């Protein structure tokens, strides 16, 4: 048995779920979609509903961690909590600035969506690094301030200086090379995180490695759709 018994039964259930998601990704990638589904991904009410779910889940991660901030949590837990507060805020701004929404400081469009997924991938990577499992002496408010400052910097760049950013989508041509490269980099980043977590399944459980592994794999699979 290559998975240590201390990770059971959650590890097998989570890995089975990831395998099912991989099958669905492959199926959707090769199966011709019905004509009635064309344009569904850009349907504004559906996008807003899914973004609301994403924002809620990210906020719940932060809320759970923040409620336990005085319990001398390991550094990786605090990093996850603070990071996903940033994800929630960036996703909220993305929802307000999506194509078809009123102007959100600048004209709305599809070029305001990458920062949240990058921050989520970096938060998972930070949680997977070996130094992250140590108890931290950094005040929780300092880490929170750092994340909020990063979110503010992203807003300032995207909303006030959009001309500094390369184009992600060109009408009539589709995704730009920069956009595709960025998405492939996010896939690689999430898979690297998964690779760091995989050896922990061989050893006695010290933290919920299988849960973080499944999250990293799921985020990598989700990024595949942004390359198509």
């Amino acid at each position: 048995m290559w998975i240590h018994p201390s990770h059971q039964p959650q590890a097998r259930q989570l890995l089975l779920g990831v395998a099912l998601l991989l099958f669905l990704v492959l199926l959707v990638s090769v199966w011709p979609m019905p004509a009635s589904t064309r344009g569904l991904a850009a349907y504004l009410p559906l996008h807003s509903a899914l973004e609301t779910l994403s924002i809620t889940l990210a906020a719940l991660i932060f809320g759970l961690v923040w409620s336990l901030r005085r319990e001398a949590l390991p550094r990786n837990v605090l990093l996850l909590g603070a990071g996903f507060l940033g994800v929630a805020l960036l996703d909220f701004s993305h929802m307000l600035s999506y194509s078809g929404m009123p102007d959100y400081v600048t004209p709305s469009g599809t070029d305001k969506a990458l920062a949240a997924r990058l921050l989520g991938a970096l938060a998972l990577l930070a949680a997977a690094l070996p130094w992250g499992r140590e108890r931290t002496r950094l005040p929780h408010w300092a880490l929170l301030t750092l994340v909020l400052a990063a979110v503010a910097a992203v807003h300032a760049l995207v909303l006030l200086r959009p001309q500094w950013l390369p184009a992600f989508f060109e009408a009539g041509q589709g995704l730009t090379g920069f956009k595709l490269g960025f998405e492939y980099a996010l896939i690689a980043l999430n898979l690297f995180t998964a690779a760091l977590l995989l050896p922990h399944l061989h050893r006695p459980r010290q933290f919920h490695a299988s849960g973080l592994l499944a999250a990293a794999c799921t985020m990598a699979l989700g990024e595949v759709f942004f390359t198509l």
Side-chain angles (χ1 to χ4, degrees), residues 2-21:
W2 71 279
I3 299 178
H4 193 275
S6 60
H7 293 280
Q8 302 290 0
Q10 295 93 340
R12 289 193 181 278
Q13 294 171 351
L14 289 168
L15 293 178
L16 180 62
V18 170
L20 177 60
L21 289 175

Side-chain angles (χ1 to χ4, degrees), residues 96-97 101-108 112:
L96 295 181
S97 62
M101 296 290 283
D103 288 357
Y104 183 62
V105 183
T106 58
S108 297
K112 302 177 180 180

